Amino acid sequence: MCYHKSTPRKHGLETYLKDYQAKVLDYDHYYHVSGFSHPQVPVMTMAEPHLVQPYMWGLVPLWAKDRKDAQGWATKMLNATCEKAFSTYKPYVKTSRCLVFVDGIFEWQWKDGKGKEKIPYYIFMEGHQPFTLGGIYNEWEDRETGNVYKTYSVMTTPANELMAEIHNNKKRMPLIVNEKDWGIWLDPASTDDQLKRVMIPYPEGFLKCHQISRDITKRGYNTNVPEIQGEFRDTLF
């Protein structure tokens, strides 16, 4: 769940953030990317709230012993549930929250009970403007090489009505942090109660969606192309 996204172009993100005086470092732009490839995507952290920089999708925790262990954790930690925010993920939710900048997410609707027939959807905001996912992050040091890897995980919530209809097997969605709540999410002084009010399903009426081509799941098919986001219309001719 919540393993696929698209990212805005750097210029578009800079325009979106023009009132925040945020510096945006170079990062890769994706029309579609899977978390399982552990891409570097634009992130803003509590520690540096006026800097957008690339972080690897897949949080590696402090206790990862070596590179192999880190790789395993990164795959397990693509997502982190808000329901465990103040238990399992408490150390990160307390001190290491971040915003992940995207301009769309991808989900699959199951048409049968076992997921053998699935329809892919692209979900985005009106005008295809950037928006932010709430996440947690960690900078993990490889003790063998001394290299430091900046990593993150996306928080998830129960689905709202639209996402429950699309993501109808798990009925989850990523935590979308409204722009008015950025300050709360990135402020080290925010209380648990304040954070809990942010960690809720996104309100109805703002997200848009359409069905896309099943090419997105074809083995060997390049999905990092503009057409992958296009609306699919199943016609006879």
Side-chain angles (χ1 to χ4, degrees), residues 177-195:
V177 180
N178 193 295
E179 188 175 342
K180 67 180 177 60
D181 294 324
W182 287 2
I184 294 174
W185 192 250
L186 295 181
D187 187 349
S190 293
T191 66
D192 290 0
D193 285 342
Q194 286 176 309
L195 295 174

Side-chain angles (χ1 to χ4, degrees), residues 128-148:
H128 206 79
Q129 66 176 356
F131 59 99
T132 50
L133 310 182
I136 52 177
Y137 69 95
N138 183 54
E139 296 186 5
W140 179 77
E141 182 177 358
D142 186 336
R143 298 177 184 87
E144 294 182 4
T145 65
N147 292 336
V148 175

Side-chain angles (χ1 to χ4, degrees), residues 2 7 62 65 78 92 94 121 176 181 224:
C2 311
T7 58
L62 294 167
K65 302 189 295 286
L78 294 174
Y92 301 104
K94 284 288 192 180
Y121 281 83
I176 299 176
D181 294 324
N224 189 25

